């Protein structure tokens, strides 16, 4: 017997890093039933409140009646149906790019795109805080892989100087655990002077940033020449599922030919594409969702600063509160839970050691009074869990439950 899984699991538990899955017994919303209790939640990525929107649900139901359920085959065989195609055309138009390609998840979009564009003899440079799917993609590609300091054009420039072959610079648009924006104008300028391409994964920017919800490239006014490879995911602000890559005609054709996570998988159910077409329309037409969300972000930040919470440099609905120790982050999350609020503690290895945090996410489905309730709960939870909580608890780890 060689697989000692039980001690691996026990070690993880002892380090306060054990993960459990909360069981959601309700549609995705800010008011949810989880593990048999009702909560006001600040942890989903449904930033515009579209995941359970009646019109999106109806588009999905109608789509299923018209197109059935299963995609039935991969896109290259006979799984590429009219709703998929219409959605690609709508996404190309929305992003102002010549073409877009629909994939079944953001993870696959990232894996497929990076591995199709670079390989042995090439270079991929990534922000060290990039999403796991981008880091995995870089490793899998077989290209020389190096991570530059977070959002640092100087650190990027040093690596660009040593790059060989085709060079792809890869960054999150909005960093998923910090909420801050990639410094794209400077990063793109560095890449261009070296003839490198920039790939931006704007999973958390689409729908939230930019006048029309066009994400970080709209926010900074960057075109195809600055960002030749633009990735968006549909499971966040769009409230549905899947992902897309937008770019030139040649880029999209290259992905259709060579992106293995695109080729060797069944197409997403066409009804999901029908739902996304509706959510794209709502995202564009109902600007109030984005404006309301912005007001909630400002209110939360002002209130959290008053309480002395350590905010991060984030203008987005991702508003992490930096705690430091995993034990204290878990204890605060548990204290909020006792008060009827769901806020996730994010721990290593998802974030660097010593930077455990409570990741608050806001949604247009929250009201101002929901945010007030969260701030009140923080105030009383902080009074229960002192600053030195993690240190004091080290000898008695068994008292702590993991969530
Ligand atoms: C969520 C996320 C993904 C993965 O997208 P899925 O569609 O959920 O697989 C990729 N990149 C970033 C930055 C994300 O936040």
């Amino acid at each position: 017997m060689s697989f000692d899984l039980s001690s691996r699991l026990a070690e993880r538990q002892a380090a306060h890093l054990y993960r459990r899955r909360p069981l959601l017994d309700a549609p995705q919303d800010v008011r949810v039933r989880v593990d048999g209790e009702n909560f006001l939640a600040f942890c989903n990525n449904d930033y515009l409140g579209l995941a359970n929107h009646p019109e999106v649900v109806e588009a999905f139901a109608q789509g299923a009646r018209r197109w059935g359920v299963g995609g039935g085959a991969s896109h290259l065989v006979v799984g590429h149906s009219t709703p998929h195609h219409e959605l690609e055309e709508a996404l190309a138009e929305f992003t102002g790019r010549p073409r877009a390609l629909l994939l079944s998840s953001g993870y696959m979009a990232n894996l497929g795109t990076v591995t199709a564009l670079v390989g042995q003899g090439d270079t991929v440079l990534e922000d060290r805080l990039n999403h796991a799917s981008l880091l995995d993609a870089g490793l899998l590609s077989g290209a020389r892989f190096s991570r530059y300091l977070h959002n640092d054009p100087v650190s990027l420039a040093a690596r660009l100087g040593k790059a060989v072959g085709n060079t792809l610079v890869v960054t999150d648009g909005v960093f998923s655990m910090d909420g801050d924006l990639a410094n794209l104008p400077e990063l793109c300028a560095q890449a261009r002077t070296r003839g490198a391409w920039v790939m931006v994964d704007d999973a958390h920017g689409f729908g939230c940033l930019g006048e029309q919800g066009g994400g970080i490239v709209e926010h900074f006014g960057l075109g195809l020449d600055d960002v030749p490879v633009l990735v968006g995911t549909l499971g966040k602000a769009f409230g549905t599922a899947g992902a897309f890559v937008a770019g030139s005609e040649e880029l999209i054709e290259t992905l259709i030919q060579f992106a293995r996570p695109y080729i060797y998988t069944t197409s997403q159910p066409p009804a999901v594409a029908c739902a996304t077409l509706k959510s794209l329309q709502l995202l564009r037409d109902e600007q109030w969702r984005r404006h309301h969300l912005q007001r909630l972000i400002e209110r939360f930040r002002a209130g959290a600063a008053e309480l002395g919470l350590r905010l991060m440099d984030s203008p987005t609905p991702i508003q992490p509160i930096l705690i430091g120790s995993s034990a204290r982050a878990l204890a605060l999350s548990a204290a909020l839970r006792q008060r009827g609020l769901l806020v996730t503690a994010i721990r290593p290895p998802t974030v660097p050691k010593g930077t455990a945090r409570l990741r608050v996410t806001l949604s247009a489905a929250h009201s101002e009074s929901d945010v007030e309730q969260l701030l009140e709960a923080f105030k009383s939870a902080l009074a229960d869990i002192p600053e030195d909580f993690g240190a004091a608890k080290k000898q008695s780890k068994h008292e702590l439950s993991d969530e």
Side-chain angles (χ1 to χ4, degrees), residues 64 67-73 78-79 81 84 266-271:
W67 302 98
V69 177
V78 67
S81 60
H84 299 132
T266 302
S267 63
Q268 71 167 202

PDB file of all heavy atoms in Angstrom, residues 64 67-73 78-79 81 84 266-271:
ATOM      1  N   ALA A  64     -34.330  24.954 -24.520  1.00  0.00           N
ATOM      2  CA  ALA A  64     -34.335  23.497 -24.332  1.00  0.00           C
ATOM      3  C   ALA A  64     -35.482  22.861 -25.123  1.00  0.00           C
ATOM      4  O   ALA A  64     -35.324  21.796 -25.721  1.00  0.00           O
ATOM      5  CB  ALA A  64     -34.437  23.157 -22.853  1.00  0.00           C
ATOM      6  N   TRP A  67     -34.262  23.173 -28.848  1.00  0.00           N
ATOM      7  CA  TRP A  67     -33.009  22.535 -29.266  1.00  0.00           C
ATOM      8  C   TRP A  67     -32.662  21.278 -28.486  1.00  0.00           C
ATOM      9  O   TRP A  67     -31.599  20.699 -28.716  1.00  0.00           O
ATOM     10  CB  TRP A  67     -31.845  23.541 -29.136  1.00  0.00           C
ATOM     11  CG  TRP A  67     -32.052  24.782 -29.944  1.00  0.00           C
ATOM     12  CD1 TRP A  67     -32.523  25.988 -29.495  1.00  0.00           C
ATOM     13  CD2 TRP A  67     -31.853  24.942 -31.349  1.00  0.00           C
ATOM     14  NE1 TRP A  67     -32.619  26.884 -30.524  1.00  0.00           N
ATOM     15  CE2 TRP A  67     -32.212  26.267 -31.681  1.00  0.00           C
ATOM     16  CE3 TRP A  67     -31.396  24.085 -32.356  1.00  0.00           C
ATOM     17  CZ2 TRP A  67     -32.134  26.768 -32.974  1.00  0.00           C
ATOM     18  CZ3 TRP A  67     -31.317  24.589 -33.647  1.00  0.00           C
ATOM     19  CH2 TRP A  67     -31.685  25.919 -33.950  1.00  0.00           C
ATOM     20  N   GLY A  68     -33.534  20.888 -27.569  1.00  0.00           N
ATOM     21  CA  GLY A  68     -33.222  19.725 -26.743  1.00  0.00           C
ATOM     22  C   GLY A  68     -32.213  20.068 -25.663  1.00  0.00           C
ATOM     23  O   GLY A  68     -31.933  21.244 -25.425  1.00  0.00           O
ATOM     24  N   VAL A  69     -31.663  19.049 -25.025  1.00  0.00           N
ATOM     25  CA  VAL A  69     -30.766  19.313 -23.896  1.00  0.00           C
ATOM     26  C   VAL A  69     -29.294  19.156 -24.287  1.00  0.00           C
ATOM     27  O   VAL A  69     -28.536  20.107 -24.233  1.00  0.00           O
ATOM     28  CB  VAL A  69     -31.117  18.415 -22.688  1.00  0.00           C
ATOM     29  CG1 VAL A  69     -30.116  18.653 -21.557  1.00  0.00           C
ATOM     30  CG2 VAL A  69     -32.528  18.742 -22.192  1.00  0.00           C
ATOM     31  N   GLY A  70     -28.888  18.006 -24.690  1.00  0.00           N
ATOM     32  CA  GLY A  70     -27.457  17.758 -24.903  1.00  0.00           C
ATOM     33  C   GLY A  70     -26.912  18.414 -26.158  1.00  0.00           C
ATOM     34  O   GLY A  70     -27.602  18.535 -27.170  1.00  0.00           O
ATOM     35  N   GLY A  71     -25.651  18.841 -26.093  1.00  0.00           N
ATOM     36  CA  GLY A  71     -24.969  19.340 -27.287  1.00  0.00           C
ATOM     37  C   GLY A  71     -24.770  18.225 -28.318  1.00  0.00           C
ATOM     38  O   GLY A  71     -24.723  18.470 -29.510  1.00  0.00           O
ATOM     39  N   GLY A  72     -24.620  17.009 -27.817  1.00  0.00           N
ATOM     40  CA  GLY A  72     -24.666  15.823 -28.676  1.00  0.00           C
ATOM     41  C   GLY A  72     -23.364  15.408 -29.338  1.00  0.00           C
ATOM     42  O   GLY A  72     -23.206  14.245 -29.688  1.00  0.00           O
ATOM     43  N   ALA A  73     -22.454  16.329 -29.553  1.00  0.00           N
ATOM     44  CA  ALA A  73     -21.180  16.018 -30.225  1.00  0.00           C
ATOM     45  C   ALA A  73     -20.246  17.208 -30.016  1.00  0.00           C
ATOM     46  O   ALA A  73     -20.666  18.256 -29.520  1.00  0.00           O
ATOM     47  CB  ALA A  73     -21.406  15.783 -31.719  1.00  0.00           C
ATOM     48  N   VAL A  78     -20.673  17.398 -35.024  1.00  0.00           N
ATOM     49  CA  VAL A  78     -21.969  17.953 -35.415  1.00  0.00           C
ATOM     50  C   VAL A  78     -22.658  18.616 -34.205  1.00  0.00           C
ATOM     51  O   VAL A  78     -23.866  18.669 -34.096  1.00  0.00           O
ATOM     52  CB  VAL A  78     -22.845  16.881 -36.130  1.00  0.00           C
ATOM     53  CG1 VAL A  78     -23.243  15.759 -35.174  1.00  0.00           C
ATOM     54  CG2 VAL A  78     -24.048  17.483 -36.824  1.00  0.00           C
ATOM     55  N   GLY A  79     -21.794  19.151 -33.286  1.00  0.00           N
ATOM     56  CA  GLY A  79     -22.330  19.760 -32.064  1.00  0.00           C
ATOM     57  C   GLY A  79     -22.405  21.276 -32.099  1.00  0.00           C
ATOM     58  O   GLY A  79     -22.789  21.905 -31.113  1.00  0.00           O
ATOM     59  N   SER A  81     -24.236  24.258 -32.984  1.00  0.00           N
ATOM     60  CA  SER A  81     -25.588  24.550 -33.453  1.00  0.00           C
ATOM     61  C   SER A  81     -25.839  26.048 -33.573  1.00  0.00           C
ATOM     62  O   SER A  81     -25.027  26.875 -33.137  1.00  0.00           O
ATOM     63  CB  SER A  81     -26.610  23.889 -32.526  1.00  0.00           C
ATOM     64  OG  SER A  81     -26.447  24.381 -31.233  1.00  0.00           O
ATOM     65  N   HIS A  84     -25.233  28.422 -30.606  1.00  0.00           N
ATOM     66  CA  HIS A  84     -23.796  28.640 -30.354  1.00  0.00           C
ATOM     67  C   HIS A  84     -23.244  29.681 -31.327  1.00  0.00           C
ATOM     68  O   HIS A  84     -22.496  30.585 -30.948  1.00  0.00           O
ATOM     69  CB  HIS A  84     -22.988  27.343 -30.556  1.00  0.00           C
ATOM     70  CG  HIS A  84     -23.368  26.218 -29.641  1.00  0.00           C
ATOM     71  ND1 HIS A  84     -23.593  24.934 -30.087  1.00  0.00           N
ATOM     72  CD2 HIS A  84     -23.560  26.186 -28.304  1.00  0.00           C
ATOM     73  CE1 HIS A  84     -23.899  24.155 -29.065  1.00  0.00           C
ATOM     74  NE2 HIS A  84     -23.890  24.891 -27.970  1.00  0.00           N
ATOM     75  N   THR A 266     -17.535  17.814 -25.773  1.00  0.00           N
ATOM     76  CA  THR A 266     -18.891  18.025 -26.295  1.00  0.00           C
ATOM     77  C   THR A 266     -19.266  19.502 -26.159  1.00  0.00           C
ATOM     78  O   THR A 266     -18.919  20.136 -25.167  1.00  0.00           O
ATOM     79  CB  THR A 266     -19.874  17.146 -25.487  1.00  0.00           C
ATOM     80  OG1 THR A 266     -19.447  15.788 -25.606  1.00  0.00           O
ATOM     81  CG2 THR A 266     -21.295  17.281 -25.996  1.00  0.00           C
ATOM     82  N   SER A 267     -19.959  20.026 -27.148  1.00  0.00           N
ATOM     83  CA  SER A 267     -20.376  21.432 -27.070  1.00  0.00           C
ATOM     84  C   SER A 267     -21.324  21.620 -25.881  1.00  0.00           C
ATOM     85  O   SER A 267     -21.986  20.680 -25.442  1.00  0.00           O
ATOM     86  CB  SER A 267     -21.086  21.840 -28.363  1.00  0.00           C
ATOM     87  OG  SER A 267     -22.275  21.086 -28.527  1.00  0.00           O
ATOM     88  N   GLN A 268     -21.364  22.835 -25.372  1.00  0.00           N
ATOM     89  CA  GLN A 268     -22.271  23.091 -24.247  1.00  0.00           C
ATOM     90  C   GLN A 268     -23.715  22.957 -24.752  1.00  0.00           C
ATOM     91  O   GLN A 268     -23.980  23.131 -25.940  1.00  0.00           O
ATOM     92  CB  GLN A 268     -22.014  24.471 -23.641  1.00  0.00           C
ATOM     93  CG  GLN A 268     -22.444  25.631 -24.488  1.00  0.00           C
ATOM     94  CD  GLN A 268     -22.458  26.975 -23.740  1.00  0.00           C
ATOM     95  OE1 GLN A 268     -23.138  27.877 -24.163  1.00  0.00           O
ATOM     96  NE2 GLN A 268     -21.724  27.137 -22.665  1.00  0.00           N
ATOM     97  N   PRO A 269     -24.660  22.659 -23.842  1.00  0.00           N
ATOM     98  CA  PRO A 269     -26.057  22.564 -24.283  1.00  0.00           C
ATOM     99  C   PRO A 269     -26.474  23.851 -25.004  1.00  0.00           C
ATOM    100  O   PRO A 269     -26.219  24.945 -24.489  1.00  0.00           O
ATOM    101  CB  PRO A 269     -26.824  22.388 -22.979  1.00  0.00           C
ATOM    102  CG  PRO A 269     -25.835  21.745 -22.054  1.00  0.00           C
ATOM    103  CD  PRO A 269     -24.511  22.344 -22.412  1.00  0.00           C
ATOM    104  N   PRO A 270     -27.080  23.740 -26.181  1.00  0.00           N
ATOM    105  CA  PRO A 270     -27.464  24.943 -26.926  1.00  0.00           C
ATOM    106  C   PRO A 270     -28.378  25.866 -26.114  1.00  0.00           C
ATOM    107  O   PRO A 270     -28.304  27.094 -26.274  1.00  0.00           O
ATOM    108  CB  PRO A 270     -28.210  24.392 -28.148  1.00  0.00           C
ATOM    109  CG  PRO A 270     -27.905  22.943 -28.211  1.00  0.00           C
ATOM    110  CD  PRO A 270     -27.379  22.494 -26.903  1.00  0.00           C
ATOM    111  N   ALA A 271     -29.176  25.303 -25.238  1.00  0.00           N
ATOM    112  CA  ALA A 271     -30.078  26.140 -24.433  1.00  0.00           C
ATOM    113  C   ALA A 271     -29.296  27.094 -23.528  1.00  0.00           C
ATOM    114  O   ALA A 271     -29.769  28.184 -23.202  1.00  0.00           O
ATOM    115  CB  ALA A 271     -31.011  25.266 -23.596  1.00  0.00           C
TER     116      ALA A 271
END
